[in-house]
Amino acid sequence: MIQDNVKTTEKREISPRSKKRARFHFRWKEYGVGYLFMLPWIIGFSVFMAFPIGWSLYLCFNKVSLTGSGFKYQWVGLQNFKDALFKDNEYSVQIIAFFQQMIVILPVIIIFSLLVAILLNQNFPGRFLFRAIFFLPVIFSTGQVLTELFKQGAGDVPFISQYGIDTFVAENFSPSLADPIISFLGMMIIILWSSGVQILIFIAGFQTVSRSIYEAVRIDGASPWESFWKITLPSIVPFIALNLLYTTVDLFTFPLNPVMEQIRKHMFNMSTGYGYASALAWFYFLLIMIVIALILWFLNSANRSRRVRA
């Protein structure tokens, strides 16, 4: 009788229902507080964002035209995507040009933010003021405000033409190399305006490194240059990855993004309308997700190789 009771007890303990119940209680204890903090965002997303996103996905498979009685929807399947890839030459050219600019500007923003964060992390009088100055563009760089500022010439770099830098570059370099250099010099203001959040993230990453480690390596005779490459840089690799992802998404959603301009232009065009604009937006979104997936894969592979070496 005792052995039978033990067997039934063991069966009850390993039953699938009890396993699911124990797994649910464990996950709730571990992540329940996080889910509660996410609940306002989930409610807001479900109420204000889920329906527009689903509706735009439906529209990208339709040709939407405006009639006297309202909007008319005609199912066209994948025709909008085919037109975007094979007929709309301007859209494909803008995407290729934007990706080329992003490949250049993305590492520049990361390196610039890292160097400025190293300077602002030093002990000097008024460093909080300088940190606030570098963060001010983030406060003012909302979509419409930034668009108006750049329309008024706030994004121009006048010294490039005043001192003949563009002429010097065009005369001494080949056109294939001179054009990217000149366009890069013209984006210096954008780099400065797009680095505020990254600088703060890097400063927060520097605070996670214990000062006692620097004191120990300084006693052992390590120079600041060696301590940066051996201690600081390996310690802030996760923050570099975070800034890389943030900068990628920020550049893709930049208000003056030419691809976004193409989507807005087709949205209010009577010959294309909301259906074609939705197809352009979803194709652009898929490209963004592919780029983010490649970045995550590269970072994970780099982390694995670093753990293997360690």
Side-chain angles (χ1 to χ4, degrees):
M1 291 292 291
I2 296 175
Q3 292 179 354
D4 294 337
N5 291 331
V6 171
K7 289 181 180 179
T8 55
T9 305
E10 291 178 353
K11 289 181 181 179
R12 289 177 182 174
E13 290 177 354
I14 61 174
S15 62
R17 182 177 297 177
S18 60
K19 283 184 178 180
K20 291 181 180 179
R21 189 178 301 167
R23 191 181 298 114
F24 173 77
H25 286 296
F26 174 76
R27 289 183 63 86
W28 179 253
K29 289 180 180 179
E30 292 291 324
Y31 309 111
V33 178
Y35 291 146
L36 290 177
F37 277 105
M38 290 174 60
L39 187 61
W41 179 87
I42 294 173
I43 296 174
F45 179 83
S46 302
V47 174
F48 299 106
M49 295 292 295
F51 177 76
I53 291 174
W55 186 248
S56 67
L57 182 61
Y58 171 76
L59 291 180
C60 68
F61 298 104
N62 289 269
K63 180 176 177 58
V64 184
S65 56
L66 183 62
T67 62
S69 58
F71 289 100
K72 180 182 178 182
Y73 305 96
Q74 180 184 357
W75 181 266
V76 294
L78 298 175
Q79 188 61 41
N80 288 329
F81 293 96
K82 294 179 182 178
D83 293 341
L85 292 175
F86 303 110
K87 290 185 179 181
D88 193 350
N89 296 326
E90 189 177 1
Y91 177 72
S92 58
V93 169
Q94 290 289 355
I95 283 183
I96 294 172
F98 176 71
F99 268 83
Q100 291 175 347
Q101 290 181 356
M102 195 195 71
I103 291 173
V104 175
I105 198 173
L106 182 62
V108 173
I109 290 176
I110 299 298
I111 295 173
F112 175 79
S113 303
L114 180 60
L115 295 177
V116 174
I118 292 173
L119 295 176
L120 295 179
N121 194 48
Q122 306 300 318
N123 290 321
F124 59 91
R127 64 173 181 171
F128 295 104
L129 177 62
F130 284 98
R131 290 179 181 179
I133 291 173
F134 275 96
F135 191 72
L136 278 177
V138 179
I139 301 175
F140 295 109
S141 62
T142 57
Q144 192 61 35
V145 174
L146 189 62
T147 304
E148 291 297 327
L149 286 174
F150 273 81
K151 284 182 179 179
Q152 297 175 12
D156 298 335
V157 187
F159 71 86
I160 296 177
S161 58
Q162 288 178 358
Y163 295 99
I165 297 176
D166 52 352
T167 306
F168 175 80
V169 173
E171 292 177 352
N172 293 275
F173 295 94
S174 61
S176 60
L177 187 61
D179 293 338
I181 293 175
I182 295 174
S183 63
F184 170 73
L185 293 175
M187 291 186 294
M188 293 178 61
I189 301 298
I190 298 177
I191 294 172
L192 181 62
W193 279 62
S194 304
S195 303
V197 175
Q198 292 88 332
I199 292 172
L200 289 182
I201 292 175
F202 276 131
I203 292 175
F206 293 146
Q207 305 304 318
T208 61
V209 184
S210 176
R211 295 293 178 184
S212 60
I213 300 177
Y214 291 107
E215 294 176 359
V217 298
R218 194 179 299 113
I219 293 173
D220 292 337
S223 63
W225 180 258
E226 292 173 342
S227 63
F228 172 77
W229 288 103
K230 299 294 184 180
I231 298 175
T232 306
L233 191 61
S235 301
I236 62 171
V237 168
F239 297 92
I240 295 176
L242 177 60
N243 277 331
L244 193 62
L245 289 175
Y246 175 82
T247 308
T248 302
V249 176
D250 187 47
L251 290 176
F252 274 120
T253 57
F254 191 66
L256 302 178
N257 186 340
V259 182
M260 304 285 286
E261 291 290 336
Q262 286 291 319
I263 295 172
R264 282 192 289 266
K265 183 183 75 173
H266 287 288
M267 184 182 299
F268 300 104
N269 191 346
M270 296 298 295
S271 60
T272 54
Y274 287 98
Y276 185 69
S278 298
L280 297 182
W282 275 97
F283 182 76
Y284 183 55
F285 173 73
L286 291 177
L287 291 179
I288 295 173
M289 297 306 296
I290 291 173
V291 172
I292 292 176
L294 290 175
I295 293 174
L296 291 175
W297 174 80
F298 175 75
L299 294 174
N300 288 331
S301 61
N303 289 330
R304 290 196 196 98
S305 61
R306 188 163 57 89
R307 289 174 184 174
V308 170
R309 292 176 184 175

